[in-house]
Amino acid sequence: MKKMKQQEVQPLLLNLLKALKEYFDKHNLEFYLTGGTLLGAIRHHGFIPWDDDIDVIVRKDVFEALFSLAEKDPFIDEKRRYRILCPSAGTNIKPVFQLVDTKTVVYGKNVEKQYANGLWIDIFCMSYWPDDIKDARRMFRRQKLLKKMLHVTICGNLRDKKYKLIYPLIFPVKQMIIRAGLDGHYWSKKILQLGEYPPSSYIGNLCWASSLKDRYPIHYFSEGMKVQFEGDEYDAPKEYDAILTQFYGNYMQLPPESERINHSFDAYYID
């Protein structure tokens, strides 16, 4: 395998995004750019310069449709390079769909190498959040707990100093949990089940939310618009300003260099 240079990552990710758009158009499905990808589209008309992934989000009905499509054929292109991985299954340990480049492999920091996949796009689901803020806080606390249990059961390939220091304490707990049948897939599926909350007035990426800032009034996503991303047009929520302001604050201002972080993974081309 040949190690990938950092500047080679974004062009490969862009190819993934173009293939995903073609696939969605073919099946009359729609996705919105979200997270750092949406921010990049608005602020940079493309990638955030230091970014190394792409995030999109879909409605619940589209998320469900992807299960059927992936079961029929997980590959989305004629050359059978780009593959959809279902949530919480196989090497995809996250409760989201992933579109991966099978000609590459990525070893993430602090994650066991058995869960390595290719360069990827995360496909998140617009899940309902509780209307009551107290219930929403309880829901998010549960999600955080489940996510911590997931991280305990898949931790490995340690890169961060803090993980190296605490791993001797975590390892016995990890082994005990896994022997009880509560492996990473178990916890990931538990997180995925949170997305079954009944219809409400708030929506967002509940299953992989990083904070309550991921909970938005449902009308923020009721209408879309076209935005530029690396020379092509993609769909985004028309209320992108409200979404980005809620999550990032003054999103047009570049963060300090110390906060310009990425996934810090090791990526390789597969021969």
Side-chain angles (χ1 to χ4, degrees):
M1 293 191 301
K2 178 185 175 184
K3 189 167 185 179
M4 195 179 299
K5 297 177 181 177
Q6 182 65 34
Q7 61 266 31
E8 296 172 320
V9 171
Q10 289 186 355
L12 291 172
L13 289 173
L14 186 59
N15 289 339
L16 270 172
L17 183 61
K18 289 178 178 179
L20 182 65
K21 184 178 186 301
E22 183 177 337
Y23 181 76
F24 268 53
D25 287 347
K26 175 183 175 181
H27 292 283
N28 295 313
L29 302 175
E30 182 183 59
F31 66 79
Y32 285 157
L33 302 183
T34 192
T37 309
L38 176 60
L39 173 60
I42 301 304
R43 191 171 68 194
H44 304 275
H45 305 297
F47 286 101
I48 295 173
W50 54 89
D51 207 1
D52 56 6
D53 76 336
I54 287 178
D55 297 325
V56 304
I57 195 166
V58 299
R59 299 188 312 271
K60 184 71 173 177
D61 62 311
V62 176
F63 198 78
E64 296 297 335
L66 285 176
F67 281 102
S68 298
L69 289 170
E71 184 178 348
K72 291 177 183 176
D73 186 357
F75 290 95
I76 71 168
D77 62 313
E78 291 183 358
K79 294 183 178 179
R80 302 184 72 79
R81 173 170 180 162
Y82 303 130
R83 180 172 185 163
I84 294 179
L85 302 182
C86 289
S88 314
T91 53
N92 180 13
I93 203 65
K94 295 172 71 173
V96 304
F97 280 97
Q98 290 189 318
L99 178 66
V100 300
D101 181 348
T102 61
K103 296 296 184 182
T104 65
V105 63
V106 174
Y107 297 111
K109 65 177 182 178
N110 309 318
V111 177
E112 286 187 357
K113 289 188 175 183
Q114 72 184 72
Y115 300 114
N117 290 309
L119 288 172
W120 75 95
I121 290 177
D122 282 326
I123 304 174
F124 299 108
C125 182
M126 296 182 200
S127 301
Y128 290 107
W129 283 75
D131 285 327
D132 187 272
I133 188 61
K134 292 181 180 178
D135 290 338
R137 290 194 184 102
R138 280 193 290 269
M139 178 79 81
F140 180 62
R141 284 197 296 268
R142 176 164 175 75
Q143 186 255 45
K144 284 205 321 183
L145 175 61
L146 293 171
K147 194 185 289 187
K148 285 180 181 178
M149 295 304 297
L150 170 61
H151 288 157
V152 166
T153 55
I154 67 172
C155 64
N157 189 29
L158 305 180
R159 301 271 293 279
D160 288 348
K161 185 177 179 180
K162 67 176 183 179
Y163 279 93
K164 291 180 179 180
L165 290 174
I166 66 174
Y167 190 71
L169 301 175
I170 292 176
F171 184 75
V173 178
K174 170 185 173 180
Q175 294 300 102
M176 182 177 65
I177 293 172
I178 291 175
R179 281 197 295 268
L182 310 180
D183 63 1
H185 291 106
Y186 172 86
W187 299 108
S188 184
K189 289 174 182 176
K190 285 290 186 182
I191 299 172
L192 189 61
Q193 289 171 5
L194 297 178
E196 300 301 324
Y197 195 83
S200 66
S201 301
Y202 289 87
I203 205 166
N205 171 26
L206 169 61
C207 290
W208 211 244
S210 58
S211 73
L212 284 171
K213 292 178 181 180
D214 275 304
R215 173 179 174 266
Y216 302 99
I218 194 169
H219 71 268
Y220 282 10
F221 293 91
S222 62
E223 190 175 351
M225 62 175 288
K226 299 293 184 183
V227 295
Q228 288 288 321
F229 190 90
E230 299 296 337
D232 287 316
E233 286 190 335
Y234 294 91
D235 290 314
K238 191 171 183 180
E239 296 291 336
Y240 71 83
D241 180 67
I243 292 169
L244 292 175
T245 298
Q246 176 173 314
F247 196 86
Y248 295 103
N250 183 10
Y251 62 88
M252 293 302 289
Q253 181 177 330
L254 289 174
E257 289 193 16
S258 61
E259 297 178 15
R260 299 176 189 181
I261 57 176
N262 54 32
H263 289 84
S264 301
F265 51 63
D266 294 321
Y268 298 84
Y269 295 101
I270 296 177
D271 299 328

